[in-house]
């Protein structure tokens, strides 16, 4: 067998598994032409990749099992030091093999500061400092596993740690502590995000003065500066995943009183789509790599979006199967499953999001679009389709059976019409030179005088 790169081997294995998953016969001849390898070579590659995945699953299960055993219920997270010692493996590598979908420990949801434990903040800040520059999607996944906190909540807390500021939530929390008679040093222990104990009362007083001064008069906002754009996107990252766009706008309006809500909405949309696609696609890729399947409920929980939002945002699609209509292998179970998903999530007149349909079915998007059309009884009459109708009809097959060869819901009348149009085409007689001359004379004589319906017939012309 010729040398084949690991990436190419994984691609071949994913394609073959896609066919096998739905019980479809693997088209080895087509794949041999596509990849330039024999069937035996490709089967050997798939077997090697199966073995590789099996080893990865075992290691991932082992790491996750040890992490569950080392779970500290009081701190709400795993004692990773003990896991490292048992496996003799670096921390980052352990976190990379950890699979939350296999874990029996629920991921903590901490969208509010009051939910976090005081010692969580310094631990989070210390851990994140190991990553140079801006956190990537992979980095954020490791942070979430280390803290046992949803990814969005970790991002919100870390941004507050590195850029501490007084928010409405923190102001209300601090006020409640002050009303209980708690001194500033004790409050700081509960909210250790500011630079020092002395900074907390100063920031608190400034925020209070700003709130009591009332709303500022509206001004005209001409354009977004780079600083404003960066700050607004930061608000999006902190508040959107666990509160929706309304909470984002409430926070943004308090910080940008001179900017209209319409302008805020326009500013946020492109950024949201990109951030969601990255986070969701990473979570889906990790699940599929380990299990060759995707648990959308787990993905939803890990990124803090609804399942439908995850289905619409995911861009990862390795190993998606093909779905080409074949009357001998067609499955109504699959068809009904897709139809039910579309009717439940995209009832008319809502347009169907076929990215979501493709991710739900794990089938190529174009095939989902074509199959949905066939299930509605639609048919594109290509030359090949018409030729097949003629061939089968000439063999004596009934129109209803011919229709089933082309589509699961094609009406027999449409197959009959296609056959008749092919065998008895409409006769078109070309115009003679004399007829053309009469038409020109009539148009010249009656142009802009009579409606078309009242023009005399050529035989009535002088």
């Amino acid at each position: 067998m010729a040398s084949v790169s690991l990436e190419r081997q994984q691609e071949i294995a994913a394609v073959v598994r896609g066919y096998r998953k739905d019980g479809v016969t693997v088209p080895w001849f087509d794949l041999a032409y596509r990849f330039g390898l024999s069937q035996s070579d490709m089967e050997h590659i798939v077997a090697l990749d199966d073995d590789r995945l099996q080893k990865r699953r075992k290691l991932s299960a082992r790491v996750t099992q040890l992490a569950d055993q080392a779970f500290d219920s009081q701190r709400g997270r795993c004692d990773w030091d003990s896991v490292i010692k048992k496996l003799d493996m670096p921390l980052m590598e352990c976190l990379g093999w950890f699979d939350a979908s296999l874990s029996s420990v629920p991921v903590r949801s901490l969208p509010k500061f009051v939910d976090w434990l005081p010692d969580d903040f310094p631990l989070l800040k210390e851990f994140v400092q190991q990553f140079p520059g801006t956190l990537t999607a992979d980095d954020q996944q490791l942070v979430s596993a280390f803290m046992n906190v949803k990814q969005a909540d970790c991002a919100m807390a870390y941004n507050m740690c590195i850029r501490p500021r007084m928010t409405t939530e923190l102001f209300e929390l601090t006020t409640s502590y002050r009303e209980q008679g708690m001194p500033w040093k004790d409050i700081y222990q509960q909210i250790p995000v500011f630079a020092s104990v002395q900074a907390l009362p100063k920031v608190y007083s400034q925020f209070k003065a700003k709130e009591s001064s009332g709303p500022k008069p509206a001004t005209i906002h001409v354009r977004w500066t780079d600083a404003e754009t960066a700050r607004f996107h930061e608000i999006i990252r902190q508040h959107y995943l666990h509160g929706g766009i309304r909470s984002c706008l409430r926070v943004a309006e308090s910080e940008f009183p001179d900017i209209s809500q319409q302008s805020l909405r326009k500013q946020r949309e492109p950024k949201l789509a990109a951030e969601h696609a990255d986070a969701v696609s990473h979570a889906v890729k990790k699940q599929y790599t380990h299990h060759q399947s995707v648990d959308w409920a787990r993905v939803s929980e890990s990124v803090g979006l609804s399942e439908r939002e995850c289905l619409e945002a995911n861009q990862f699609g390795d190993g998606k199967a093909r779905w080409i209509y074949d009357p001998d292998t067609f499955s109504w179970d699959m068809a009904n499953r897709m139809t039910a998903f579309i009717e439940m999530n995209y009832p008319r007149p809502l347009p169907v999001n076929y990215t979501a349909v493709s991710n739900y079915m794990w089938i190529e998007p174009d095939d989902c679009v074509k199959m949905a059309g066939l299930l509605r009884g639609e048919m594109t009459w290509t030359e090949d389709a018409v030729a097949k109708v003629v061939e089968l009809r000439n063999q004596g097959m009934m129109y209803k059976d011919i229709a089933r060869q082309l589509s699961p819901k094609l009406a027999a009348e449409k197959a009959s019409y296609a056959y008749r149009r092919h065998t008895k085409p409409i006769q078109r007689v070309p115009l003679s030179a004399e007829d053309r001359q009469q038409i020109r004379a009539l148009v010249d004589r009656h142009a802009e005088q009579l409606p078309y319906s009242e023009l005399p017939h050529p035989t009535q012309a002088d």
Side-chain angles (χ1 to χ4, degrees), residues 317-329:
D318 288 3
K320 284 188 176 180
R322 299 299 308 276
W323 196 7
I324 301 172
Y325 179 71
D326 184 334
D328 297 326
T329 60

Side-chain angles (χ1 to χ4, degrees), residues 63 195 447:
V63 172

Side-chain angles (χ1 to χ4, degrees), residues 57-190:
R57 294 190 193 102
K58 288 182 178 179
L59 179 56
S60 180
R62 175 63 176 158
V63 172
T64 305
Q65 181 185 29
L66 291 175
D68 286 358
Q69 293 173 357
F71 177 70
D72 186 336
S73 58
Q74 291 185 343
R75 296 192 302 169
R77 57 180 182 269
C78 165
D79 179 8
W80 284 103
D81 288 337
S82 66
V83 177
I84 293 170
K85 292 177 182 177
K86 291 180 179 179
L87 292 172
D88 191 22
M89 183 184 296
L91 173 60
M92 293 302 177
E93 192 173 344
C94 283
L95 293 171
W97 285 111
F98 176 78
D99 188 349
S101 65
L102 298 177
S103 175
S104 59
V105 176
V107 180
R108 292 188 291 172
S109 177
L110 307 177
K112 298 181 179 179
F113 284 100
V114 68
D115 299 327
W116 286 73
L117 298 175
D119 64 335
D120 280 340
F121 291 105
L123 182 67
L124 172 65
K125 188 173 182 179
E126 180 183 358
F127 179 73
V128 174
Q129 286 175 347
Q130 301 179 57
F131 300 97
T134 305
L135 293 181
T136 65
D138 290 339
D139 297 338
Q140 293 176 19
Q141 192 77 15
L142 297 177
V143 174
S144 175
F146 179 74
M147 298 299 300
N148 190 39
V149 177
K150 285 186 176 180
Q151 187 173 324
D153 298 343
C154 284
M156 175 270 296
Y158 177 66
N159 284 333
M160 178 59 78
C161 287
I162 60 176
R163 286 182 291 274
R165 60 197 172 280
M166 184 60 66
T167 65
T168 301
E169 179 191 342
L170 281 180
F171 177 79
E172 294 175 352
L173 182 61
T174 305
T175 300
S176 69
Y177 287 146
R178 292 294 293 168
E179 291 175 348
Q180 297 171 24
M182 188 179 293
W184 285 111
K185 65 177 182 178
D186 293 340
I187 297 176
Y188 179 75
Q189 294 299 321
Q190 299 298 318

Side-chain angles (χ1 to χ4, degrees), residues 174-322:
T174 305
T175 300
S176 69
Y177 287 146
R178 292 294 293 168
E179 291 175 348
Q180 297 171 24
M182 188 179 293
W184 285 111
K185 65 177 182 178
D186 293 340
I187 297 176
Y188 179 75
Q189 294 299 321
Q190 299 298 318
I191 317 174
V193 296
F194 293 95
S196 65
V197 177
Q198 293 74 23
L200 178 56
K202 182 179 179 180
V203 176
Y204 175 82
S205 299
Q206 291 174 346
F207 189 89
K208 185 176 181 179
K210 180 181 177 181
E211 289 292 302
S212 60
S213 64
K216 296 181 180 179
T219 58
I220 299 175
H221 186 266
V222 179
R223 58 173 296 180
W224 285 83
T225 65
D226 292 341
E228 287 174 335
T229 301
R231 173 62 187 133
F232 184 74
H233 289 164
E234 184 180 350
I235 292 173
I236 290 293
R237 287 191 294 271
Q238 293 175 5
H239 297 274
Y240 180 78
L241 295 179
H242 48 265
I245 190 59
R246 291 183 180 179
S247 65
C248 291
L249 293 177
R250 283 197 297 270
V251 175
E253 285 172 352
S254 66
E255 296 204 19
F256 303 107
D258 59 331
I259 302 177
S260 67
Q261 188 176 101
Q262 182 180 7
S263 178
L264 290 172
R265 287 184 178 275
K266 289 181 178 179
Q267 181 72 2
R268 61 97 183 176
E269 290 173 355
K271 189 67 177 178
L272 284 178
E275 289 183 352
H276 286 181
D278 289 344
V280 173
S281 300
H282 174 77
V284 171
K285 180 180 180 179
K286 185 171 182 179
Q287 274 207 28
Y288 188 82
T289 301
H290 283 74
H291 310 294
Q292 295 300 298
S293 63
V294 180
D295 183 340
W296 292 101
R298 291 279 189 177
V299 174
S300 171
E301 182 181 355
S302 66
V303 301
L305 298 174
S306 68
E307 289 188 36
R308 173 172 160 178
E309 288 173 317
C310 291
L311 288 163
E312 292 179 347
N314 174 54
Q315 300 297 316
F316 174 79
D318 288 3
K320 284 188 176 180
R322 299 299 308 276

Side-chain angles (χ1 to χ4, degrees), residues 372-427:
L374 293 180
L375 293 172
R376 291 191 299 266
E378 300 172 1
M379 185 68 192
T380 302
W381 290 106
T382 62
E383 292 184 2
D384 290 342
V386 174
K388 187 171 184 178
V389 171
V390 174
E391 178 187 357
L392 296 176
R393 183 59 180 173
N394 290 341
Q395 295 174 6
M397 186 177 290
M398 299 177 65
Y399 285 121
K400 66 176 183 178
D401 296 328
I402 295 175
R404 291 295 173 270
Q405 294 294 315
L406 300 175
S407 166
K409 280 195 172 183
L410 182 66
E413 292 77 10
K414 291 186 178 181
S416 173
Y417 180 72
Y419 178 80
R420 287 184 282 106
R421 284 291 303 269
H422 179 80
T423 56
K424 299 178 181 179
I426 297 175
Q427 299 296 321

